[in-house]
Structures are given as C-alpha cells and as structure tokens.
Amino acid sequence: MTTNSQAMPATIRFDGQVAVVTGAGGGLGRSHALQLAARGAKVVVNDLGAARDGTGNGLTAAENVVAEIRAAGGEAIASAASVTDPAGVQEMVDQAMREWKRIDILVNNAGFLRDKSFTKMTLDDFRAIVDVHLMGAVICTKAVWEIMKQQNYGRIVMTTSSSGLFGNFGQSNYGAAKMALVGLMQTLSLEGEKYGIRVNCLAPTAATRMTEDLMPAEVLALLTPESVTPGMLYLASRDAPTRAILCAGAGTFSRSYITLGDGVHIGERPDAVEQLVAKLDTLADRSKEIVPSAGFQQSQMEVAKALAARKQ
C-alpha cells in the first residue's frame, strides 16, 4: 500500500546550548527567546529597554522575559547592554561565559525605526538606524565569533527585512542597514564555514511596536511574532543551512536570493554604451540566472565571456 504522507521530522531541540537574543524584551525577540528556552536553550535576554525610536533605556523589559522563562522551568539571564556599545556587549558575552561556559547561537534582532522620506530625514536619523541595525549586529557578532571558532560550532541569525531586499518608501536608513546585513552574512558564512559556524538572514513580517502603525488591525492580527519564530529556530538549529535568506510572516515562509544573470559581452569600443542599450532585452533575460557561491563568480563570468569573444 502506498501513501502520500511524509514522515514527521525530528523535533528540533537546543538542550545544552546557549543563545543570545538581542532586542528580546518584546515583539519578535521575546518570541524568539521564549521558544529557544522552551526547546531547551539557556538564553541571554538582551534588551536596552528603549522606546520604538530608540530613546530611553532600562532593564525591566529583559527581566520580565527572563521571569517568564524561569517560571516555565527554563534558564535565562538579563542584559540591558546597548548593542552599539562594544564594552557593554563584551560584558554581556562575558556574563554568559561565566554562567554557562559557551555561546552557541546569536540572534541579532535589536533595532528601532525612524521613518521619514529621504528629503526629510536628517543624517543623524540615518546614522542612528545604521548604528543599531548594522553596527549593532557587527559588534555582537564580533564578540562571539572567536568563541564559536574555538567551539567549532556556531549559529548566527541576522534580522534583515523586505525594506532592504526590495525597498519601502520612507525607510532609506532602515533599508540600507538591513541590506548591508545580507552582505555581512554572505561573507561571514564563507569565513565561518570551516569552523562550523553557519550564518543566515531572517526577513520577518510581524506585528510589533515597530509595525503597529503601518498596517490595518486585521492584517496585524495575522502577523504574530510567534508565526515568524519557527523560521528563526530552523536557522539556529544544528541542521541549519548557511547563506540562506528566509522570509517569514503570518505562518508563510519563502526563500529570497541574490542572483547573477548570464550577461552579454560588448567589449571596449567607442559605441559600447549604445551597444549596451541595444542588448537590454538580452541583459534582462533571467533564464540562465545563477546564485553565486561567492563574489568572484561575477568576475569569472565576465572574464570568460571576454576570452571567448577574442577567440571568435
């Protein structure tokens, strides 16, 4: 007798592992921290306790999530370190190492919004968003990188966004920072591969403080943080991929890719730009598109076409 049913996959657990989740005092980060703890991880709950625009600070938000985890029988400690403060981040990492002797997972989730059109946006507003989303992830990742290398194991999840991947009006600062995280992930996944470190991006859509004014209530009701967290759990698991961009929202999951078209060779000639314009349809052809394994594949393709053209 045949059946179309698939065997259930093994339950994903994090027993014996230590996870650091930034921005975990509410919204997505809280959901991530609670679910990691429920599946056995010891969790560092990091949250600056800031408002949606990044102002203010306090430990209460992180402590409340820690209390939830402990009440459910899990282990957690709180940190109010700003991800933009290298000394504070280092102390957070040192605290985890003193407590549990290892760090297996880092979820870079901390952030806030300062949305304005580019015309109205100040450089300070642009810089503040880049500092927390991009540099905050860099600082936290740098603080755990050598630990993970020594362990020969690590899982790092960057929180990117559709604003970076595809653009959103009024979010030039946020989109720039979020797309930069994809570039960071692409390179760190290559550098971490031989050390057992896998690095991925999660692009969530969720109803949080950051999105509550952007969508109708009936839509926000579908976009729960809890519907996104399974994607994070997969990217943080032992069987995680590396260099993946996983989009998640309302219980729907999809993959996004940075691709490279096959290209056209024109060569160095006085009318090169005119020839380029004449071949725009060929340039836009996606039938031979690839997902490069590294940046050098672009130059490989370009040089190969140039050499082939010489032989004609």
Side-chain angles (χ1 to χ4, degrees):
M1 183 173 68
T2 61
T3 177
N4 291 325
S5 64
Q6 293 182 338
M8 286 295 292
T11 301
I12 292 177
R13 297 285 304 176
F14 300 94
D15 301 289
Q17 295 192 322
V18 176
V20 176
V21 184
T22 69
L28 277 169
R30 172 181 171 275
S31 176
H32 294 343
L34 291 176
Q35 285 299 310
L36 282 165
R39 290 171 179 265
K42 302 173 178 68
V43 184
V44 179
V45 178
N46 166 263
D47 199 282
L48 181 61
R52 190 171 66 166
D53 66 354
T55 58
N57 64 279
L59 191 58
T60 304
E63 288 177 328
N64 288 342
V65 177
V66 167
E68 286 187 76
I69 291 172
R70 290 177 177 172
E75 294 185 57
I77 55 177
S79 166
S82 169
V83 295
T84 62
D85 173 21
V89 168
Q90 188 60 56
E91 173 53 33
M92 173 182 71
V93 168
D94 290 345
Q95 181 185 8
M97 292 299 289
R98 288 193 298 269
E99 190 81 16
W100 295 311
K101 313 302 183 188
R102 63 185 298 113
I103 295 174
D104 302 278
I105 298 162
L106 170 64
V107 181
N108 285 308
N109 174 75
F112 53 83
L113 292 176
R114 291 188 185 177
D115 292 355
K116 292 178 182 177
S117 68
F118 193 62
T119 296
K120 297 178 180 178
M121 186 176 296
T122 66
L123 290 178
D124 284 343
D125 283 339
F126 201 104
R127 186 175 289 111
I129 294 299
V130 171
D131 280 349
V132 69
H133 289 276
L134 174 58
M135 289 309 301
V138 170
I139 290 166
C140 291
T141 302
K142 185 70 171 174
V144 303
W145 190 255
E146 292 303 319
I147 293 169
M148 291 181 173
K149 282 178 64 177
Q150 290 299 316
Q151 294 171 171
N152 206 41
Y153 185 91
R155 299 291 182 266
I156 298 171
V157 181
M158 308 289 186
T159 305
T160 186
S161 171
S162 58
S163 297
L165 296 170
F166 314 116
N168 263 335
F169 188 92
Q171 293 192 318
S172 58
N173 50 0
Y174 183 70
K178 289 304 191 183
M179 194 59 182
L181 287 171
V182 176
L184 178 63
M185 175 271 288
Q186 298 275 24
T187 293
L188 290 186
S189 64
L190 296 175
E191 294 185 8
E193 187 172 11
K194 70 177 181 179
Y195 301 105
I197 303 173
R198 300 180 187 178
V199 190
N200 296 285
C201 280
L202 178 68
T205 308
T208 67
R209 288 190 309 167
M210 288 174 59
T211 59
E212 62 187 4
D213 300 329
L214 304 178
M215 302 175 188
E218 60 270 22
V219 173
L220 291 173
L222 298 172
L223 297 170
T224 64
E226 291 74 19
S227 71
V228 169
T229 293
M232 180 282 299
L233 294 174
Y234 167 54
L235 297 180
S237 69
R238 293 186 185 276
D239 294 327
T242 197
R243 297 188 72 197
I245 304 170
L246 181 65
C247 304
T252 299
F253 302 90
S254 58
R255 286 281 297 266
S256 186
Y257 300 90
I258 307 298
T259 65
L260 179 68
D262 189 47
V264 295
H265 179 74
I266 293 170
E268 294 186 40
R269 46 194 293 176
D271 64 341
V273 64
E274 288 77 18
Q275 290 295 319
L276 175 60
V277 172
K279 295 183 178 180
L280 289 182
D281 287 345
T282 304
L283 199 65
D285 178 15
R286 302 188 65 176
S287 62
K288 296 181 180 179
E289 206 168 59
I290 65 166
V291 179
S293 60
F296 70 84
Q297 279 194 259
Q298 177 184 333
S299 57
Q300 274 188 330
M301 179 268 289
E302 294 161 346
V303 171
K305 286 189 176 295
L307 293 173
R310 284 188 179 183
K311 294 177 181 177
Q312 291 178 355

